[in-house]
Amino acid sequence: MAPYMVRIRATGGAVTPAQLKVIAEAAEKFGNGIVHITTREEFQIHDVALEQVTAAMRALLAAGLSSRGGGGNTVRNIMLSPDAGVSPLEVFDPSPHAFALTSRLIAEADSWTLPRKLKIAFSNSPADTAFAQFNDLGFVARIENGRRGFRVFVAGGFGGKPELGHELFAFIPESEVYIVAETVKRLFDNNGNRKNRNMARLRYLWRKLGEAGFCELYAKEAAAVRAAGPAPFVPAAQAENATAAVVAPIAASGPEYDLWKSRFVETQKQPGLTSVLIPASLGNIRSEHVSRLAEFLAPLGDDVVRGTLGQNLRLRNIPESLLGNVYALVRDFDPLMAAPRLLANAIACTGADTCKLGICLPKGALAAITRALKKSGLPLDTIGDF
């Protein structure tokens, strides 16, 4: 019998070290010993035997993790800019909004029976590092007249017949996030194409109706949502992160360490703290490495790691004094650790290996491209975070 995959919902890629440890243990016990990070900032366990799926899901649930909505015609994992909350350049941190919206939407029965998947993303600046404009619904942080809020895009998408999202609102106050999301969800639920799966995404509805028709439907649904008197939208409170007083620093120096820092370490807006990218070839990290990383991170608090759109891990709120510790721990995790950041950000879909729609082997192609670029002698480090 063919093995199965368990996809774990993680809003914005955020998990605690304890949860990361459980994911690694589940991958080792029930899967192929690999933790896979997706381009929607989720985690996957592959090659799970059918008779082990229930046990794997129960182990994850005990740690506050769920696979529900990871696939299917549902509200999918809500994405965030990977540097949300730590970037010196962000307008503000939309993480609390993404967490709160996830809690509201997944508690509603109609979020699980949509015509097709509904993808939502929050970006922390106009740079749109969460690709909000390529989601069904995208929120881009902005401040207007001293009020925090978002520019809103709808009906974008990658995949077949991709489309850049269309501006729905130039600005909404942050209190309106749920109203907008619920309205778009109901509009899609009531008017999406349920007969042809290949024409069922929200962007096809926009093309069918046109801007005026879409906005007219939106206005009707929004009036109904407001008339129902929904509870106020309150972004989730952010807990203060713990300090690293219990971790003894390890000194590190030398050209290899300096090159690693220049490639993968960034200064946060919080004084004395850094963010560190942990590359994962094709999004895969061995479970034993993930376990060791989770154990190291545990004393540093709960907000110290997130999955990224580039299928990597990004550590955050790491004291600068502990960068030597991080380097000593992760330097041998992946060959990409000694490669330019450009190669760490390279991604590939699963292709014909397992996908019914796949017509080629993009993972093999990407591996070959990576090898060729390493040998090319090109100044790849000058490209930066591409």
Side-chain angles (χ1 to χ4, degrees), residues 64-386:
L65 297 166
S66 174
S67 62
R68 190 180 187 201
N73 302 330
T74 66
V75 174
R76 292 293 187 89
N77 197 54
I78 295 180
M79 293 169 59
L80 278 163
S81 295
D83 59 359
V86 301
S87 171
L89 303 178
E90 71 180 3
V91 177
F92 62 85
D93 179 12
S95 300
H97 305 76
F99 297 150
L101 185 61
T102 294
S103 297
R104 287 285 288 270
L105 293 182
I106 65 175
E108 298 171 349
D110 60 353
S111 293
W112 309 99
T113 56
L114 299 172
R116 195 70 169 84
K117 54 191 171 185
L118 184 69
K119 295 183 173 181
I120 303 173
F122 286 82
S123 283
N124 61 351
S125 77
D128 194 10
T129 51
F131 300 144
Q133 295 177 73
F134 278 100
N135 276 257
D136 297 292
L137 177 60
F139 297 91
V140 179
R142 67 177 300 182
I143 294 177
E144 187 173 286
N145 298 323
R147 295 190 303 167
R148 298 199 317 177
F150 297 92
R151 189 181 181 193
V152 181
F153 296 89
V154 291
F158 289 125
K161 298 181 180 178
E163 186 161 341
L164 185 67
H166 307 271
E167 184 181 86
L168 186 62
F169 295 107
F171 177 83
I172 62 163
E174 58 185 331
S175 60
E176 291 282 289
V177 164
Y178 172 76
I179 295 291
V180 171
E182 180 65 12
T183 299
V184 169
K185 186 188 75 174
R186 292 192 189 183
L187 185 158
F188 183 44
D189 190 26
N190 294 332
N191 301 279
N193 190 333
R194 293 184 180 272
K195 294 181 180 180
N196 185 350
R197 180 177 175 83
N198 295 324
M199 300 292 288
R201 294 295 298 278
L202 189 63
R203 60 184 179 272
Y204 295 107
L205 185 60
W206 177 281
R207 292 173 188 174
K208 175 184 174 181
L209 298 173
E211 181 177 0
F214 189 98
C215 291
E216 182 180 353
L217 270 184
Y218 178 91
K220 292 179 180 178
E221 293 288 355
V225 170
R226 293 184 189 280
F233 178 75
V234 181
Q238 288 284 81
E240 289 294 322
N241 215 47
T243 64
V246 296
V247 180
I250 296 175
S253 60
E256 291 184 359
Y257 173 70
D258 292 339
L259 183 58
W260 171 78
K261 282 182 61 178
S262 70
R263 287 170 169 169
F264 300 119
V265 179
E266 298 176 16
T267 300
Q268 293 186 186
K269 65 181 182 181
Q270 296 85 358
L273 298 181
T274 61
S275 173
V276 184
L277 191 74
I278 308 297
S281 298
L282 299 174
N284 297 325
I285 305 183
R286 289 165 53 186
S287 56
E288 62 187 84
H289 290 160
V290 177
S291 287
R292 286 164 51 194
L293 184 61
E295 290 166 0
F296 166 75
L297 293 172
L300 307 185
D302 284 343
D303 186 18
V304 288
V305 61
R306 294 189 182 183
T308 78
L309 295 79
Q311 295 187 285
N312 302 310
L313 289 177
R314 184 168 181 144
L315 310 188
R316 50 201 278 126
N317 298 319
I318 306 299
E320 189 172 2
S321 61
L322 296 184
L323 288 178
N325 303 58
V326 175
Y327 181 65
L329 175 63
V330 307
R331 60 185 299 180
D332 297 324
F333 276 14
D334 192 296
L336 288 179
M337 206 67 66
R341 190 179 180 111
L342 167 72
L343 302 183
N345 284 332
I347 61 173
C349 70
T350 187
D353 286 333
T354 58
C355 178
K356 294 179 181 178
L357 301 177
I359 57 175
C360 62
L361 301 172
K363 291 189 290 186
L366 180 59
I369 291 169
T370 297
R371 289 193 298 270
L373 285 173
K374 284 182 177 179
K375 297 176 181 178
S376 68
L378 294 170
L380 301 179
D381 280 309
T382 63
I383 297 176
D385 202 12
F386 178 76

